[in-house]
Amino acid sequence: MQYMLLIYQDEAAQEAMGEEELNEQMAGYNAFTEEVRERDVLVSGDALHPTSAATTVRVRDGRVLTTDGPFAETKEQLGGFYILDCENLDEAIELAAKIPGAKEGSVEIRPIVVWE
């Protein structure tokens, strides 16, 4: 089954990191990506630009409304994702726990709907 692992972290804390800490975090992400490639479960994954680059779209009464930024104020922001093809939820949880962002933020696991 495919699962989307959504990585949430505090953007302000991320921006405040020093170069050494950022390099260590990136090394962790690179190691995780290599592991899921080697296990042949990686479908895709990417980092996202900060929420300051986001645009939210709503349609109300037939009108398209856009807002700069995310749809809601939150303590943690969506910073990236992986889509993995895992045997089961237990494997998805095992892998999510290895994502560096889980140490300071959180990783939400969502099963992907397969349309018949």
Side-chain angles (χ1 to χ4, degrees), residues 22-42:
L22 281 172
N23 288 339
E24 186 178 311
Q25 185 181 64
M26 283 310 301
Y29 275 105
N30 290 337
F32 176 78
T33 301
E34 187 58 33
E35 178 179 345
V36 293
R37 276 192 182 123
E38 287 175 4
R39 288 173 69 159
D40 199 29
V41 296
L42 179 65

Side-chain angles (χ1 to χ4, degrees), residues 1 8 11 20 33 36 43 58 66 68 74 86 98 105-106:
M1 168 168 266
Y8 292 92
E11 284 181 352
E20 185 176 323
T33 301
V36 293
V43 175
R58 293 177 177 84
T66 61
D68 291 340
T74 61
C86 298
K98 294 180 179 186
S106 61

Side-chain angles (χ1 to χ4, degrees), residues 8-10 14 17 21 25 29 76 100-106:
Y8 292 92
Q9 290 183 277
D10 181 344
Q14 188 78 13
M17 283 185 183
E21 196 174 7
Q25 185 181 64
Y29 275 105
E76 296 176 335
K103 292 177 185 167
E104 302 91 22
S106 61

Side-chain angles (χ1 to χ4, degrees), residues 1-4 82-84 110-114:
M1 168 168 266
Q2 288 188 356
Y3 294 91
M4 179 173 259
Y82 285 94
I83 297 177
L84 304 180
R110 301 273 302 268
I112 295 176
V113 174
V114 177

Side-chain angles (χ1 to χ4, degrees), residues 70-89:
F71 69 94
E73 293 290 325
T74 61
K75 196 172 191 179
E76 296 176 335
Q77 295 77 34
L78 178 62
F81 68 93
Y82 285 94
I83 297 177
L84 304 180
D85 191 4
C86 298
E87 289 292 320
N88 51 43
L89 180 59

Side-chain angles (χ1 to χ4, degrees), residues 55-69:
T55 301
T56 299
V57 177
R58 293 177 177 84
V59 178
R60 301 293 184 268
D61 298 321
R63 291 188 23 227
V64 176
L65 308 172
T66 61
T67 306
D68 291 340

